[in-house]
């Protein structure tokens, strides 16, 4: 018997229990899809999907704990111990509308027919409880050759569900595989159908490319195919250019500095994702102010969009500061102002990103040393900033109002921010009396000026 080597043995145990229970009742049951593929490729398997001849109502009746997760597509989640298995009835899909997921499914009797509806040969292999493989479309051979090939005629399969084109690019990128020639030709012919796919699904695939182990491979395929010209969400001016939205893809890998920036992508951790996105967007020429609208249009969660924008803004502002100041003291103050204004996270992320950019850059040795020293200095400044929020100050706005004996207004916010930066820069101690003295001096100065 062939053992699973890429799966948590406890999960295998429970999964086999599900199969066994179904077989005992006279149904057919197999492991299918990503888990079989990943096991064959020696990649870690995180979940195991099961296909069966049992109908959803049978599955619900047989197992104690079930969730009807996708009952209209024949999927029931079976909970076993601490594990969850998606159990899907053998089916074929029909009536694709608008080049998207099918509107209706039809249950079928044989696993081979179920495999026929799957997208790529490597994803259309079933594995029985003894480890024997059912591989009617040559998935194992394609995995060995590193080839992404559609089950059936590629053009038809892409016409049915246009997302498959992006999935092909994603798998090629993540696995380092090649798209089959026939697949690529079909993709070029029908790529405009991607317009029908919801942005969430497009974004999910793109995320796997950008955050995966070979982002440049996927980006190069996207550029070559021009697929991204056909997505729903408009690209903002900064990226798209006035002429046509194609600039996003054509710009990729075009100029040298961009190539260097992009080369750093794979050096960066995938989490938090703002690290890689900020680099990619900047390499494409996106300005800080355009990041949030762009990412929201692409259905990114606010947090990811905001974190990404903060890193880009930090980078832009810091590049300005370095161009304008050469002395250490004023430069350090600029750093502190930036860190307090854009946040500690943004400056920490920027430092991490910059280390990767430096590592990937091809610089003359002398310049590399200088750049490293600058980065080390910035890192030290980053660590020296102890306060980032008004709430961390030893005095409050109320204390200042009492001292001033005048009504609050915009002046108060300004003054508090000045206090925060002075404390953050280490110019005043974060001590109540010291702060009050500073405020007093500042106020009498201001009164003098208004007299
Ligand atoms: P991963 O989970 O690693 O991203 P996966 O292959 O498991 O990859 P899923 O989206 O989990 O991808 O889908 C599970 C299986 O369902 C696939 O292996 C494939 O057989 C089938 N499948 C998924 N999406 C499609 C699609 N758009 N068209 C046809 N078959 C699909
Ligand atoms: Mg999966």
């Amino acid at each position: 018997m062939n053992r699973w080597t890429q799966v948590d043995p406890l999960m295998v145990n429970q999964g086999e229990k599900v199969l066994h229970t179904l077989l005992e009742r006279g149904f057919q049951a197999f492991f299918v899809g990503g888990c079989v593929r990943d096991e064959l490729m020696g990649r870690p398997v995180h979940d195991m999907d099961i296909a069966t001849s049992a109908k959803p109502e049978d599955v619900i009746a047989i197992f104690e704990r079930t969730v009807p997760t996708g009952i209209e597509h024949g999927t029931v989640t079976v909970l076993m111990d601490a594990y969850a298995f998606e159990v899907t009835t053998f089916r074929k899909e029909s009536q694709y509308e608008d080049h998207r997921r099918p509107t209706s499914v039809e249950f079928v009797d044989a696993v081979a027919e179920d495999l026929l509806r799957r997208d790529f040969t490597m994803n259309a292999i079933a594995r029985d409880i003894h480890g024997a493989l059912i591989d009617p479309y040559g998935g194992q051979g394609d995995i060995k050759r590193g080839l992404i090939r559609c089950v059936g005629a590629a053009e038809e399969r892409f016409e049915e569900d246009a997302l498959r084109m992006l999935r092909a690019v994603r798998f090629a990128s993540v696995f380092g595989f090649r798209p089959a020639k026939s697949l690529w030709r079909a993709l070029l012919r029908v790529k405009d159908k991607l317009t029908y796919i919801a942005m969430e699904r497009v974004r999910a695939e793109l995320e796997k490319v950008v955050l995966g182990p070979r982002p440049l491979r996927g980006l190069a395929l996207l550029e070559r195919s021009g697929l991204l010209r056909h997505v729903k969400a408009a690209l903002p001016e900064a990226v798209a250019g006035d002429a046509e939205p194609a600039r996003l893809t054509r710009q990729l890998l075009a100029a040298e500095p961009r190539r260097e920036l992009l080369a750093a992508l794979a050096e960066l951790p995938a989490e938090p994702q703002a690290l890689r996105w900020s680099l990619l967007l900047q390499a494409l020429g996106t300005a800080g102010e355009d990041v949030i609208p762009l990412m929201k249009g692409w259905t990114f969660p606010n947090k990811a969009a905001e974190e990404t924008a903060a890193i880009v803004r930090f980078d832009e502002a810091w590049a300005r500061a370095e161009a304008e100041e050469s002395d250490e003291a004023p430069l350090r103050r600029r750093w502190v102002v930036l860190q307090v204004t854009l946040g500690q996270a943004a400056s920490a992320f920027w430092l991490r990103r910059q280390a990767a950019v430096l590592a990937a850059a091809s610089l003359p040795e002398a310049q590399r040393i200088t750049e490293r020293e600058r980065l080390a200095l910035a890192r030290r400044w980053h660590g020296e900033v102890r306060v980032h929020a008004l709430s961390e100050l030893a005095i409050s706005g109320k204390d200042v109002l009492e001292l001033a004996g005048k009504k609050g207004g915009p002046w108060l916010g300004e003054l508090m921010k000045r206090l925060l930066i002075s404390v953050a820069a280490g110019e005043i101690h974060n001590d109540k009396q010291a702060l009050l003295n500073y405020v007093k001096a500042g106020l009498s100065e201001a009164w003098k000026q208004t007299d």
Side-chain angles (χ1 to χ4, degrees):
M1 184 152 140
N2 282 320
R3 298 301 317 169
W4 291 86
T5 62
Q6 302 298 320
V7 200
D8 165 8
L10 295 174
M11 187 193 284
V12 174
N13 242 323
Q14 297 301 324
E16 288 180 342
K17 228 190 248 174
V18 176
L19 251 57
H20 190 76
T21 307
L22 289 162
L23 295 170
E24 234 175 26
R25 312 278 163 127
F27 296 111
Q28 304 170 59
F30 299 88
F31 292 111
V32 280
C35 66
V36 180
R37 177 199 67 217
D38 288 345
E39 172 72 29
L40 285 167
M41 292 177 64
R43 293 166 46 86
V45 171
H46 303 293
D47 48 38
M48 302 177 93
D49 294 339
I50 293 169
T52 180
S53 60
K55 300 288 184 297
E57 57 271 25
D58 300 324
V59 177
I60 290 168
I62 292 169
F63 295 95
E64 231 164 77
R65 292 191 295 148
T66 58
V67 186
T69 28
I71 206 95
E72 68 285 6
H73 300 113
T75 303
V76 174
T77 300
V78 173
L79 304 170
M80 300 284 278
D81 222 15
Y83 301 96
F85 301 91
E86 284 200 353
V87 178
T88 306
T89 307
F90 296 156
R91 63 174 208 223
K92 69 178 182 193
E93 292 171 349
S94 44
Q95 292 183 336
Y96 291 85
E97 256 170 39
D98 286 347
H99 316 282
R100 280 177 280 199
R101 283 188 280 215
T103 42
S104 78
V105 303
E106 191 181 318
F107 296 137
V108 296
D109 298 324
V111 70
E113 207 171 337
D114 179 84
L115 296 175
L116 190 58
R117 72 162 166 98
R118 295 173 184 271
D119 48 6
F120 308 114
T121 56
M122 63 181 182
N123 289 343
I125 309 173
R127 179 177 166 131
D128 77 7
I129 196 166
H130 307 296
L133 299 179
I134 294 112
D135 180 15
Y137 311 110
Q140 291 171 89
D142 286 340
I143 288 173
K144 281 203 192 86
R145 283 187 288 271
L147 213 55
I148 316 275
R149 200 155 53 86
C150 286
V151 174
E155 191 165 330
E156 255 171 58
R157 304 310 311 281
F158 292 160
E159 287 272 2
E160 286 170 0
D161 179 356
L163 185 74
R164 289 172 187 155
M165 295 187 279
L166 217 43
R167 279 176 62 89
V169 169
R170 183 254 287 194
F171 285 123
S173 176
V174 173
F175 298 162
F177 279 17
R178 281 172 297 125
K181 281 212 181 77
S182 53
L183 181 154
W184 195 252
R185 276 197 302 268
L187 185 150
L188 295 180
R189 278 198 296 268
V190 299
K191 60 187 176 187
D192 57 308
K193 300 297 190 301
L194 198 62
T195 337
Y196 293 96
I197 303 299
M199 271 317 294
E200 284 83 354
R201 301 179 75 205
V202 170
R203 196 239 313 153
E205 295 301 324
L206 223 52
E207 265 178 336
K208 289 180 182 160
V209 169
V210 172
L211 307 180
R214 293 172 199 81
L216 291 190
R217 184 175 179 78
L219 292 171
L221 287 172
L222 288 173
E223 188 205 18
R224 280 216 320 259
S225 64
L227 256 181
L228 291 189
R229 273 177 235 173
H230 303 283
V231 297
K232 262 199 175 102
L235 300 167
E237 295 287 295
V239 178
D242 317 315
E244 47 167 340
R247 244 182 77 200
L248 170 73
T249 47
R250 257 198 282 110
Q251 271 191 349
L252 274 174
L253 310 176
E256 279 310 309
R258 179 164 298 128
R259 190 187 289 278
E260 289 205 348
L261 269 186
L262 287 173
L265 264 188
E267 307 268 336
L268 283 168
E271 289 293 331
Q273 54 169 313
L275 287 173
R276 286 195 184 187
W277 284 112
S278 64
L279 197 64
L280 176 59
L281 291 179
Q282 275 191 291
L284 296 174
T286 315
E289 59 188 19
D290 295 327
V291 169
I292 290 181
L294 181 143
M295 290 183 80
K296 284 196 173 167
W298 280 70
T299 73
F300 278 89
N302 288 350
K303 183 166 179 275
E306 280 157 15
E307 280 181 358
T308 307
I311 301 175
V312 175
R313 288 216 176 94
F314 196 99
D315 188 67
E316 290 171 348
W318 186 238
R320 266 199 308 278
E322 285 197 310
E324 288 163 12
E325 307 282 1
S326 46
D327 294 342
E328 193 173 320
L331 203 53
R332 178 179 180 276
R333 201 164 199 287
R334 296 277 290 260
W335 178 277
V336 173
V337 172
L338 263 182
Q339 181 165 332
V340 169
T341 321
L342 291 169
Q344 191 177 17
S347 89
F349 290 160
W350 182 87
L351 285 168
R352 249 162 101 185
R353 206 187 84 165
Q354 194 63 9
V357 169
L358 255 185
S362 53
L363 293 175
E365 199 45 32
Q367 197 186 343
R368 181 180 300 282
I369 291 169
T370 322
E371 291 294 338
R372 279 217 195 101
E373 281 167 356
R374 284 157 91 95
L375 190 59
L377 206 54
R379 234 183 242 124
R380 203 180 79 211
W381 296 337
H382 171 84
E384 284 167 0
V385 177
R386 290 288 150 77
V387 292
H388 294 89
L390 293 179
S391 59
E392 295 170 78
L393 288 182
I395 61 170
S396 65
K398 218 172 120 220
D399 296 328
V400 175
L401 282 180
E402 268 169 27
L403 189 71
K406 59 174 182 171
K407 276 214 321 229
W411 67 271
L412 182 61
E414 301 265 318
L415 187 126
M416 293 303 287
K417 178 148 188 230
R418 271 218 319 259
L419 280 182
L420 179 62
I421 286 167
S422 298
V423 171
E427 295 156 2
I428 330 171
H429 281 300
N430 192 13
D431 160 273
K432 188 158 186 176
Q433 202 48 54
L435 289 170
L436 288 175
N437 288 342
Y438 183 90
V439 171
K440 242 186 259 171
L443 289 173
S444 56
E445 195 59 33
W447 282 323
K448 256 185 249 149
Q449 280 170 16
T450 47
D451 280 347

